[in-house]
Amino acid sequence: QVQLQESGPGLVKPSQTLSLTCTVSGGSISSGSYYWSWIRQPAGKGLQWIGRIYTSGSTNYNPSLKSRVTISVDTSKNQFSLKLSSVTAADTAVYYCARGRQLILWFGEILGEFDYWGQGTLVTVSS
Amino acid sequence: QSALTQPPSASGSPGQSVTISCTGTSSDVGGYNYVSWYQQHPGKAPKLMIYEVSKRPSGVPDRFSGSKSGNTASLTVSGLQAEDEADYYCISYGDSNNLVFGGGTNLTVL
């Protein structure tokens, strides 16, 4: 059974960089056809996709956050990470990591559904 | 890309059926059969309920079903039960290798 667990500081000061790590257990992060994503949810609001990474290192980000986001992967530690720079109070949210299914079709790749999620971690941006 | 449009709320009595819509464009919902639905209880992570428009993962009750017509996908919950009360989100694959999320629907079991 695959499990994902987010970790990182729960409080970040405005203008600083938010850093989170997702540790994958119960299977190798490199096995199978999957992508690894970060998703966030402000209190009382909906889900927002932040971006994804393949274990090859290839990334794809939400255009609205692209200038501030970096997602990386460390296959030796079975982890992937999120860095979000220049944070403001609007970045306060529960941050989830999730595994997505990658599908390769005749016209290209498809980002399929999220089958496993971490429990989420609350990050508050405040001085 | 703009978010997918879901009704903010839906409701039904125990035993009844309720359908939640998810409207996008030809660049996402209408262009691909890769819409998934997630159930989220308060304080919990989302749970996959439907993928590829109408497929159910193992362990999801067959009371949950999905469909699509044009640019609108739908999730139907039949035989409503108290534990179905939750928020539901749709997600679609979209052009330019993006994912587009719905705003969520709060389902109340009366």
Side-chain angles (χ1 to χ4, degrees):
Chain A
Q1 177 81 348
V2 173
Q3 293 185 318
L4 291 80
Q5 178 68 57
E6 305 89 350
S7 60
L11 180 64
V12 181
K13 288 182 167 51
S15 80
Q16 293 191 340
T17 296
L18 177 160
S19 296
L20 294 174
T21 295
C22 182
T23 300
V24 180
S25 60
S28 170
I29 197 172
S30 300
S31 66
S33 298
Y34 300 106
Y35 64 96
W36 306 89
S37 263
W38 288 97
I39 296 156
R40 71 180 183 180
Q41 184 173 36
K45 296 188 178 181
L47 303 169
Q48 182 184 32
W49 184 56
I50 299 171
R52 67 92 181 137
I53 191 166
Y54 293 128
T55 52
S56 64
S58 167
T59 55
N60 185 218
Y61 302 132
N62 184 322
S64 68
L65 297 170
K66 186 176 182 178
S67 63
R68 299 193 292 129
V69 174
T70 301
I71 297 177
S72 59
V73 64
D74 187 336
T75 55
S76 67
K77 294 182 178 179
N78 238 31
Q79 296 176 335
F80 63 106
S81 299
L82 168 70
K83 290 189 185 299
L84 181 65
S85 63
S86 306
V87 297
T88 69
D91 294 310
T92 294
V94 173
Y95 285 75
Y96 294 100
C97 58
R99 186 182 85 168
R101 191 165 64 108
Q102 178 196 16
L103 302 105
I104 305 297
L105 304 181
W106 64 271
F107 54 84
E109 67 170 14
I110 293 283
L111 303 179
E113 72 283 359
F114 295 111
D115 55 359
Y116 288 99
W117 296 65
Q119 66 185 25
T121 187
L122 174 62
V123 179
T124 301
V125 178
S126 174
S127 56
Chain B
Q1 284 167 309
S2 301
L4 306 177
T5 300
Q6 296 182 234
S9 62
S11 63
S13 299
Q16 289 186 332
S17 293
V18 64
T19 297
I20 299 170
S21 62
C22 169
T23 301
T25 69
S26 59
S27 295
D28 38 67
V29 175
Y32 305 93
N33 288 323
Y34 292 94
V35 178
S36 51
W37 289 91
Y38 302 82
Q39 176 191 67
Q40 186 181 35
H41 287 111
K44 300 295 187 181
K47 174 188 175 183
L48 177 65
M49 304 302 284
I50 295 288
Y51 67 101
E52 292 183 24
V53 174
S54 61
K55 297 179 180 179
R56 270 181 293 105
S58 173
V60 172
D62 59 7
R63 302 185 294 103
F64 291 86
S65 61
S67 62
K68 191 185 86 166
S69 177
N71 294 337
T72 298
S74 298
L75 172 71
T76 298
V77 186
S78 304
L80 270 175
Q81 298 182 5
E83 59 262 36
D84 299 333
E85 186 162 295
D87 292 327
Y88 291 84
Y89 294 90
C90 60
I91 300 176
S92 175
Y93 178 77
D95 286 350
S96 304
N97 209 24
N98 282 321
L99 290 172
V100 190
F101 284 47
T105 298
N106 178 253
L107 174 61
T108 300
V109 180
L110 302 171

